[in-house]
Amino acid sequence: MKAGCSIVEKPEGGGGYQFPDWAYKTESSPGSRQIQLWHFILELLQKEEFRHVIAWQQGEYGEFVIKDPDEVARLWGRRKCKPQMNYDKLSRALRYYYNKRILHKTKGKRFTYKFNFNKLVMPNYPFINIRSSGVVPQSAPPVPTASSRFHFPPLDTHSPTSAVRPGRFSAGSLAASGQESASGADRKAELPELEDSSAADWRRGVDLLSSSRSAAGGGLGHQKRKPDIMLPLFTRPGMYPDPHSPFAVSPLPGRGGVLNVPISPALSLTPTIFSYSPSPGLSPFTSSSCFSFNPEEMKHYLHSQACSVFNYHLSPRTFPRYPGLMVPPLQCQVHPEESAQFSIKLQPPPAGRKNRERVESSEDSAPITAPTVAPVPPRIKVEPASDKDPESLRQLVREEQRSHEEGTVPSSRTTEEEKGTIFARPAAPVWPSVPVSSPSEEPLEVTEDSEDRPGKEPSAPEKKEDALMPPKLRLKRRWNDDPEARELSKNGKCLWSGSGPQGLATAAADA
DNA sequence: GACGGAACGT
DNA sequence: ACGTTCCGTC
């Protein structure tokens, strides 16, 4: 293993941002189990120290500029233990995000990219601390307006201990997503600067993210669950302790975090008062005793989901499957089945060069001879015409949507409203000089989490499901509940435990 | 510089 | 899945 490579940027005891451990779990890093580039980018983006290297572009939601490509590449390379990393490679990786709709290029502007935040948004389990805590974006991307509405109360940072305060960071979170399956086919078709608002696009993007989850079965489909992308949502201003980090008070001691995603521009407009939590697997339900489930919460949750549909043009599929629950205001009932079924966009595998090359190589001697050989498969990306969504719902959504466009706050917003406009247009936090304590430049890095997983009962979601589940299965599940949960957490932990907290401190030296 | 195909690694 | 590495093309 490249254990020794754990680079790492220091965890920064006090000044650093701390994140919930789930941010580092598998869920957040599909596949490789390691940090994903976009996480990393966000991470850098949120650190004052790297402002000269990469920073949000003023005036554009989610847009950022890589001021020092080489440096960013270097940092990335270090993080990934890829000394050979360079901007060219990094940018390739970035380009892959285009199709995934995580990012897109700002044409005409060098080294400038833009996050498609709204496409990443995935409502998850908002039951957490919903009403009591508010989270405010800290290092948020610039927002057009200048109204600095947010005030950040003094931070009570020091709680590096294991004091767990789930509620705190639960509100803002970002989990990776399995995304994918998106055919990026249409990408080229999109307008150069097609905004995130392209509803269709939008929906699609979200669907991607959500479909897997819903299909997974309300967060229960063990093991094979795709990670979800979640962006931090701030609920109510004024509650957040640290002007710079929504996760400042994370229970996880000293951990540079990745997922402390600066609120997305898109989200910044989000009126939601619900907070989001990590993917199901890491959901508080299973990991923390601080979360409890209750019908009311569930209702809220659902409601929020519904709102999301309206607000973000999310596909109905976004709804988890809680058929029994009603979403009053929207009365869009989502059938479990419906939400479960979604079509997949086909994308024929690339023609592959193997054949071609094989032929070539076998004929090197005769260079130009005959390419006559390979009938290059058409590179056509097939995309089912219909998006097979529950039309009805879709319709609803569309309509609603029409009424209140993107930035507008849906009426269902509830309580938030009174505060009025709070979310209308959050101003870009003008991070003043930040005494983030560390002069050190290595931000990130993760220290290992401590077993903050008191084998909590996977209660809430499961219960819900239980009700809908055949007795037999139900039993079985019950039976396995705990063990599984334990197992899961173990796994997650294992992933990152390569060298423990200490190993992390290494990299700092680099600079 | 930006893009994207292809092969390969984990 | 998510890059990393190369590379040809624009």
Side-chain angles (χ1 to χ4, degrees):
Chain A
M1 268 212 156
K2 304 198 168 183
C5 193
S6 32
I7 354 175
V8 200
E9 340 247 302
K10 48 160 20 31
E12 226 109 301
Y17 300 155
Q18 300 163 356
F19 306 83
D21 69 317
W22 52 260
Y24 301 88
K25 303 273 183 166
T26 331
E27 315 276 312
S28 343
S29 340
S32 65
R33 273 160 199 178
Q34 291 195 328
I35 184 174
Q36 279 178 273
L37 179 53
W38 65 275
H39 285 177
F40 181 77
I41 296 291
L42 285 169
E43 191 177 327
L44 292 184
L45 242 16
Q46 92 174 2
K47 302 277 183 174
E48 271 291 306
E49 311 97 281
F50 299 101
R51 253 181 129 185
H52 62 288
V53 171
I54 184 173
W56 291 114
Q57 176 78 287
Q58 288 300 314
E60 278 297 331
Y61 293 111
E63 193 170 288
F64 64 92
V65 184
I66 296 177
K67 298 175 178 173
D68 186 344
D70 293 331
E71 179 61 7
V72 172
R74 192 183 66 85
L75 291 168
W76 175 233
R78 199 198 303 177
R79 180 61 151 273
K80 294 291 292 292
C81 302
K82 294 282 179 185
Q84 309 307 312
M85 182 54 60
N86 58 35
Y87 179 71
D88 181 53
K89 294 169 185 171
L90 181 147
S91 67
R92 180 71 191 90
L94 247 26
R95 268 176 260 135
Y96 274 124
Y97 287 143
Y98 296 174
N99 282 346
K100 290 175 181 163
R101 298 166 192 293
I102 288 172
L103 270 188
H104 66 84
K105 185 78 179 65
T106 297
K107 307 226 162 131
K109 295 184 192 168
R110 274 179 138 201
F111 311 123
T112 303
Y113 300 80
K114 191 170 179 178
F115 276 103
N116 283 345
F117 281 131
N118 26 10
K119 295 191 176 87
L120 300 177
V121 176
M122 259 322 295
N124 215 314
Y125 300 108
F127 328 77
I128 312 155
N129 240 17
I130 292 178
R131 326 177 203 25
S132 48
S133 88
V135 174
V136 154
Q138 41 131 27
S139 46
V143 196
T145 44
S147 61
S148 347
R149 287 303 213 123
F150 305 108
H151 45 288
F152 308 96
L155 173 56
D156 68 310
T157 35
H158 297 291
S159 51
T161 47
S162 336
V164 183
R165 303 201 238 163
R168 282 334 194 81
F169 56 87
S170 63
S173 62
L174 179 135
S177 149
Q179 65 264 106
E180 201 1 68
S181 34
S183 71
D186 37 37
R187 178 179 148 232
K188 285 184 176 169
E190 291 178 7
L191 307 186
E193 266 310 307
L194 218 197
E195 248 332 273
D196 309 328
S197 45
S198 148
D201 179 57
W202 226 108
R203 229 173 265 131
R204 193 150 355 119
V206 173
D207 288 354
L208 286 178
L209 304 176
S210 54
S211 58
S212 56
R213 158 203 265 77
S214 354
L220 266 194
H222 32 219
Q223 52 175 179
K224 253 330 183 195
R225 196 183 303 108
K226 284 194 174 184
D228 307 282
I229 291 182
M230 300 193 324
L231 288 173
L233 257 204
F234 49 96
T235 57
R236 216 177 280 234
M239 303 278 295
Y240 214 82
D242 178 5
H244 302 295
S245 167
F247 295 132
V249 269
S250 155
L252 300 189
R255 169 174 273 174
V258 177
L259 294 193
N260 178 5
V261 182
I263 232 48
S264 82
L267 284 174
S268 55
L269 301 177
T270 303
T272 308
I273 61 166
F274 300 100
S275 45
Y276 293 23
S277 76
S279 55
L282 301 167
S283 112
F285 296 120
T286 60
S287 60
S288 159
S289 54
C290 295
F291 301 98
S292 58
F293 168 80
N294 84 50
E296 274 312 302
E297 297 282 23
M298 182 57 91
K299 230 176 220 171
H300 273 282
Y301 172 39
L302 268 206
H303 185 269
S304 76
Q305 295 266 345
C307 290
S308 295
V309 169
F310 284 82
N311 300 333
Y312 302 116
H313 314 173
L314 296 182
S315 149
R317 291 186 303 241
T318 294
F319 286 86
R321 299 172 307 146
Y322 297 113
L325 292 171
M326 294 269 82
V327 186
L330 301 174
Q331 43 188 203
C332 34
Q333 324 120 341
V334 181
H335 278 257
E337 289 196 1
E338 282 181 324
S339 55
Q341 67 180 160
F342 55 92
S343 53
I344 298 174
K345 292 177 187 168
L346 300 181
Q347 193 171 348
R353 186 183 281 167
K354 274 179 181 168
N355 294 327
R356 189 168 83 210
E357 279 180 353
R358 228 157 252 155
V359 172
E360 281 173 23
S361 63
S362 65
E363 306 205 280
D364 332 17
S365 49
I368 311 197
T369 44
T372 61
V373 196
V376 182
R379 309 153 174 221
I380 303 170
K381 300 189 176 175
V382 181
E383 242 179 44
S386 64
D387 210 39
K388 43 3 197 174
D389 280 3
E391 259 315 311
S392 52
L393 213 180
R394 180 84 83 168
Q395 205 83 298
L396 263 173
V397 174
R398 240 175 258 152
E399 261 156 45
E400 259 298 312
Q401 187 174 305
R402 220 150 270 152
S403 338
H404 13 241
E405 256 319 280
E406 281 251 282
T408 340
V409 178
S411 47
S412 47
R413 204 37 88 264
T414 69
T415 60
E416 235 25 276
E417 251 31 325
E418 329 160 352
K419 292 276 176 183
T421 70
I422 288 170
F423 292 105
R425 243 138 210 273
V430 188
W431 0 10
S433 48
V434 185
V436 183
S437 90
S438 72
S440 67
E441 67 153 6
E442 301 313 343
L444 351 164
E445 219 31 27
V446 183
T447 66
E448 192 22 27
D449 77 304
S450 24
E451 301 286 306
D452 37 358
R453 232 160 267 286
K456 220 333 192 214
E457 240 87 292
S459 39
E462 305 227 347
K463 276 175 186 163
K464 255 317 179 207
E465 274 209 356
D466 278 7
L468 306 168
M469 173 182 318
K472 203 173 178 183
L473 199 101
R474 209 183 303 164
L475 248 181
K476 183 180 178 184
R477 192 163 276 181
R478 288 254 169 79
W479 200 247
N480 300 321
D481 261 0
D482 288 352
E484 242 169 59
R486 246 171 270 139
E487 189 99 278
L488 265 178
S489 69
K490 215 175 267 177
N491 276 340
K493 180 176 177 166
C494 169
L495 295 176
W496 274 99
S497 59
S499 43
Q502 281 92 335
L504 304 177
T506 43
D510 183 86

